[in-house]
Amino acid sequence: MDATRPVSLEKIYFGGDYCPDQWDDATIEEDMRLFKKAHINLVTLPVFSWAKLEPEEGRYDFGWLDKIMDKLAANGIGVNLATPTVAQPAWMSRKYPEVLPVDIAGRKRTHGMRVFFCYNSPKYLERARAIASAMAKRYASHPALKLWHVANEYGTYCYCPICRGKFIAWLKDRYGSIEKLNERWYTSFWGRTVFDWEEINLPDETNDDYRFNPTVQLDYMRFVTDSTAACFRNEYDAIREFSDKPIQTNMSGYIKKLDQFVMASRMDIVGWDNYPWPTHEMSFVAMKHDIMRGLKGGQSFLLAEQSPNQQNWQPYNVLKRPGEVRRLSWQAIAHGADSCLFFQMRQSRAGQEKFHGAVISHSGRDDTRVFRETARLGDELERLSPHVVGKRTRAQAAIVFDWNNWWALENSSGPNRDIDYLDGVHSYYKAFYERHIPVDFISENADLSCYKLVVMPYTYMFRPGLKEKTAAFVKGGGTLLAGALSGLVDENDHVLGEFPAGLRQVLGLRIEETDALKKDCFNGILMDGREFPCRLVCDIIIPETAETLGSFTKEFYAGSPAVTVNGFGQGKAYYIGSVPGTALVTAVLDRIGLAPVLPADDGLEVTRREDVGEETLFLINHGNVPLRAVLDNEYTDPLAGHKVSGEVEVAPNDVKVFIRRKQHDV
Ligand code: GLA
Ligand code: ZN
């Protein structure tokens, strides 16, 4: 892993993407007035301006960018300076066709679209490094510069000859010999032995064997992640030669394609783009924020983009309701964000996104609903910023989240094609959310010993050491809650042994068979006199030392164990042998008994961030009836300017932020 520096921001950054290259001087002047009126303190630019900055190879035109940087600095607005490398200029694609990617269907793509380059192309890397370097040199000491933003939402999968060559080199490095590769890829199955590295293909649609072999797929996803991380680092290193400001890239809200623990390890601060769908539950959005906070061990992250109003790319682009953006923004902050950045500042007049929401709409007015709401939020964030920035979440529970598991489970042929990793993890997470219990997300490599409870939903893949680490954790007094399909395979997706070999001893059981349920079909689990629905898979469990807490209610295995607990050393290990609904997880969590942030009504979102001197409580009501929480101390409501204690009520669609100085024991 590359070393990066922990970042502390000076304040909550508020603002977002701005494209001044689309506007004349008078509009830009007016924007400065509007930005100040809305308390905007940071803009991200020039994300898509490579063609304007380098109209021909090696000839840079920074004049217009100098002007805008100076203007922003003069107006007290900082810049999240973007290298424009997400959209290469047309001349480059024409002169060096190698920069154009080949898609999964094997088609060489023509110039167009953003994030449409081969991240392994030496020419792309050379030109990207050159412009990143030129920008870093030019702007390193510019007073407006606050952060660096590299490219934008990486995530292309390329299948070109350059990538094939690099993939083979990556495999040589990983396996050392063709014999080892054959062993790890298990090529004896279906007679797929590889005799020479040159016989290796890419897992694109022209080769169903490579495309569907789970180990090959996994390796390609790892390879694309490593290549993309290296592509990011190519620019990172160029910038770092001249500038010591934090460097990051904004990760897409659709977070499956790249292993973001790997990406984050190369960045100074994590940044992500939050575009919830109207159908998304608030606990699902909260979970994504918590995952982002987990990527760098609990450090604050950037909310790098969200829409100040509707999107344009959903089938039905519902307006954000009054107060909704404020709630979503505070939700991000409540879970660890130290910024609130929008896409975008001013609506583009044409192009694909002319109907996308913006702080300044086509009308250019400062009295629109969206502008007024933005300005109010900006004012609030400015006042509360000192009570938020850099504060951490303290959790006694952690959920293991792992991109390799996500890929392997969803790529797997069997047991159930409807397995949805994120949805399965969410069933567990939601129980914490509803019980107001803080929870971290950790990778398989994390230290478990600082937690009381570790949850392994769908922790399918046990890489070397995890079995021993988990056993030591429980033996030493920790509590484990494992879900179905956990502990089954090694890092190459080879079965480890009798199911669930990675956890068998600790759980005190074996699994003889696993049944699959069709979409929308349920089994039931009878526990504590209640029947809980469960879905997708049902394990036929043979307890060894485990005690049965709940049993299936249907099918030929009705009455057989579904939920178990096993005393192991000083600790306990729970197992749920199906995909539970949140109610069942909540019932198990209640037995484990972790403390909530505060006792509060169902539906109220409650989190706390703290540092040595102060703690900050966030109470968010996403619903339409008033909800209450009971404070554990006397707090201050800094916006209202008075003390609060005891029972407090949060109105529908409202947010409360309370602070308390900590008493220090002498
Ligand atoms: C992404 C991109 C932005 C913009 C928004 C629109 O997140 O990073 O450039 O296209 O989507 O929602
Ligand atoms: Zn390629």
Side-chain angles (χ1 to χ4, degrees):
M1 297 234 166
D2 303 7
T4 57
R5 37 190 87 184
V7 168
S8 35
L9 303 182
E10 53 175 341
K11 56 184 159 195
I12 297 180
Y13 285 131
F14 184 63
D17 283 67
Y18 182 46
C19 305
D21 41 331
Q22 294 176 20
W23 307 111
D24 59 21
D25 288 350
T27 311
I28 292 173
E29 204 51 59
E30 169 68 352
D31 286 341
M32 298 302 126
R33 182 184 76 81
L34 294 172
F35 289 172
K36 282 190 283 185
K37 188 162 184 187
H39 303 265
I40 280 157
N41 59 33
L42 187 91
V43 293
T44 304
L45 59 80
V47 180
F48 300 107
S49 306
W50 200 348
K52 193 171 166 77
L53 289 169
E54 192 179 356
E56 61 182 270
E57 186 169 357
R59 182 170 70 79
Y60 297 118
D61 174 9
F62 287 122
W64 64 274
L65 186 55
D66 292 349
K67 239 171 85 184
I68 187 77
M69 292 284 287
D70 293 348
K71 190 172 278 298
L72 287 160
N75 284 280
I77 295 162
V79 172
N80 180 17
L81 191 58
T83 65
T85 49
V86 70
Q88 75 273 18
W91 61 256
M92 194 184 300
S93 301
R94 182 161 168 230
K95 193 165 169 191
Y96 307 111
E98 67 162 70
V99 306
L100 292 170
V102 170
D103 68 15
I104 193 163
R107 298 175 305 176
K108 178 79 175 171
R109 302 305 300 256
T110 55
H111 179 78
M113 199 50 189
R114 54 206 188 148
V115 217
F116 236 59
F117 53 84
C118 170
Y119 36 78
N120 278 315
S121 148
K123 205 28 115 173
Y124 171 83
L125 293 169
E126 175 205 304
R127 298 315 312 155
R129 193 179 177 105
I131 194 162
S133 187
M135 287 177 75
K137 202 168 172 178
R138 192 173 190 93
Y139 299 111
S141 50
H142 196 283
L145 179 69
K146 301 291 176 195
L147 291 170
W148 285 97
H149 172 106
V150 170
N152 197 69
E153 292 193 340
Y154 286 111
T156 302
Y157 266 58
C158 179
Y159 301 85
C160 78
I162 296 172
C163 287
R164 177 167 170 267
K166 292 259 182 167
F167 183 47
I168 292 172
W170 185 90
L171 291 167
K172 281 185 184 163
D173 190 47
R174 185 173 175 86
Y175 298 120
S177 70
I178 205 86
E179 291 74 30
K180 195 82 178 165
L181 174 111
N182 278 303
E183 185 196 316
R184 295 302 180 85
W185 279 12
Y186 209 67
T187 53
S188 51
F189 181 78
W190 284 359
R192 289 292 151 248
T193 306
V194 177
F195 297 92
D196 187 286
W197 296 102
E198 282 308 310
E199 290 161 15
I200 290 171
N201 296 305
L202 292 183
D204 63 20
E205 285 174 2
T206 63
N207 189 313
D208 283 353
D209 191 29
Y210 274 77
R211 196 169 144 223
F212 296 114
N213 176 318
T215 311
V216 178
Q217 282 182 319
L218 261 174
D219 272 352
Y220 205 66
M221 297 179 100
R222 290 168 175 152
F223 162 75
V224 174
T225 293
D226 286 353
S227 302
T228 307
C231 180
F232 166 77
R233 268 317 267 219
N234 173 55
E235 293 185 45
Y236 180 107
D237 293 341
I239 295 167
R240 186 56 81 227
E241 261 184 60
F242 301 99
S243 168
D244 60 1
K245 292 283 193 285
I247 307 171
Q248 49 87 42
T249 180
N250 57 331
M251 298 192 277
S252 160
Y254 179 65
I255 52 180
K256 178 175 174 184
K257 293 180 269 192
L258 301 171
D259 182 337
Q260 305 208 355
F261 276 107
V262 174
M263 290 299 294
S265 74
R266 311 296 204 275
M267 296 155 57
D268 294 327
I269 184 167
V270 166
W272 89 286
D273 300 345
N274 180 30
Y275 290 98
W277 287 68
T279 48
H280 282 167
E281 293 180 77
M282 279 303 123
S283 54
F284 190 70
V285 183
M287 177 177 87
K288 287 185 164 187
H289 289 306
D290 280 347
I291 294 171
M292 290 296 140
R293 190 184 73 240
L295 295 181
K296 284 182 97 56
Q299 279 181 41
S300 310
F301 59 90
L302 296 176
L303 174 61
E305 281 182 31
Q306 65 173 343
S307 178
N309 198 0
Q310 81 270 53
Q311 273 82 244
N312 67 302
W313 43 262
Q314 292 177 344
Y316 309 99
N317 296 285
V318 176
L319 292 178
K320 292 256 169 65
R321 277 20 203 173
E324 189 175 344
V325 173
R326 174 172 178 254
R327 260 192 299 111
L328 287 171
S329 304
W330 276 114
Q331 181 185 42
I333 292 167
H335 288 269
D338 275 354
S339 73
C340 172
L341 302 176
F342 294 111
F343 181 89
Q344 56 185 337
M345 293 296 97
R346 182 181 273 275
Q347 229 167 1
S348 305
R349 281 187 58 206
Q352 284 89 324
E353 291 178 337
K354 63 182 181 298
F355 285 122
H356 195 288
V359 172
I360 306 164
S361 72
H362 293 303
S363 74
R365 303 179 68 97
D366 60 9
D367 58 358
T368 61
R369 174 181 72 90
V370 169
F371 189 89
R372 283 184 285 115
E373 282 194 37
T374 308
R376 177 186 166 200
L377 177 61
D379 176 47
E380 228 173 56
L381 294 178
E382 197 170 279
R383 287 155 65 194
L384 292 175
S385 178
H387 303 295
V388 170
V389 171
K391 290 194 162 55
R392 314 262 300 204
T393 303
R394 265 221 318 237
Q396 295 183 324
I399 298 176
V400 173
F401 192 88
D402 188 286
W403 268 261
N404 281 258
N405 284 317
W406 189 352
W407 298 337
L409 266 172
E410 291 186 8
N411 285 342
S412 174
S413 180
N416 189 325
R417 69 169 188 188
D418 294 330
I419 297 283
D420 176 331
Y421 182 73
L422 220 44
D423 176 60
V425 173
H426 179 240
S427 301
Y428 283 82
Y429 175 83
K430 195 175 168 190
F432 288 86
Y433 180 89
E434 289 187 346
R435 282 287 185 258
H436 319 293
I437 299 171
V439 61
D440 286 341
F441 281 91
I442 56 171
S443 80
E444 282 195 4
N445 303 324
D447 177 13
L448 308 181
S449 66
C450 44
Y451 294 103
K452 284 192 175 161
L453 169 65
V454 170
V455 187
M456 294 187 174
Y458 283 153
T459 308
Y460 170 69
M461 183 177 287
F462 263 48
R463 291 203 279 280
L466 185 58
K467 179 177 168 179
E468 296 71 23
K469 188 163 68 173
T470 308
F473 166 72
V474 182
K475 206 174 222 161
T479 303
L480 175 75
L481 167 57
L485 303 176
S486 293
L488 303 193
V489 302
D490 69 8
E491 76 276 21
N492 295 105
D493 207 5
H494 296 197
V495 169
L496 283 164
E498 186 169 22
F499 288 162
L503 287 166
R504 188 173 159 196
Q505 206 194 0
V506 110
L507 294 175
L509 53 79
R510 62 194 167 85
I511 295 164
E512 196 167 281
E513 296 178 272
T514 298
D515 196 15
L517 275 61
K518 278 197 241 161
K519 213 185 179 96
D520 304 325
C521 290
F522 293 87
N523 202 321
I525 294 177
L526 188 65
M527 190 176 87
D528 302 334
R530 275 174 74 190
E531 187 175 358
F532 299 91
C534 64
R535 59 204 169 102
L536 296 167
V537 290
C538 295
D539 288 331
I540 300 181
I541 296 171
I542 318 289
E544 293 176 325
T545 52
E547 177 195 328
T548 299
L549 298 177
S551 311
F552 288 113
T553 58
K554 297 191 187 78
E555 302 304 337
F556 73 91
Y557 42 90
S560 82
V563 181
T564 61
V565 63
N566 189 44
F568 187 76
Q570 309 291 306
K572 278 185 177 176
Y574 291 82
Y575 184 63
I576 303 179
S578 183
V579 178
T582 300
L584 177 63
V585 182
T586 308
V588 174
L589 210 51
D590 289 346
R591 282 174 175 262
I592 298 170
L594 291 181
V597 176
L598 295 175
D601 284 346
D602 290 352
L604 190 68
E605 187 161 333
V606 185
T607 73
R608 188 198 313 264
R609 291 178 64 177
E610 59 192 291
D611 60 17
V612 281
E614 189 185 60
E615 54 186 309
T616 306
L617 274 179
F618 303 88
L619 310 179
I620 306 173
N621 184 349
H622 298 287
N624 47 22
V625 292
L627 296 172
R628 289 153 311 152
V630 183
L631 299 180
D632 52 349
N633 262 301
E634 188 181 74
Y635 288 78
T636 302
D637 179 339
L639 290 178
H642 58 64
K643 303 263 181 223
V644 279
S645 58
E647 191 175 288
V648 288
E649 191 175 278
V650 187
N653 201 21
D654 199 8
V655 177
K656 294 277 179 214
V657 181
F658 299 144
I659 55 170
R660 188 176 84 88
R661 300 249 19 115
K662 284 183 179 170
Q663 308 297 325
H664 288 287
D665 297 332
V666 186

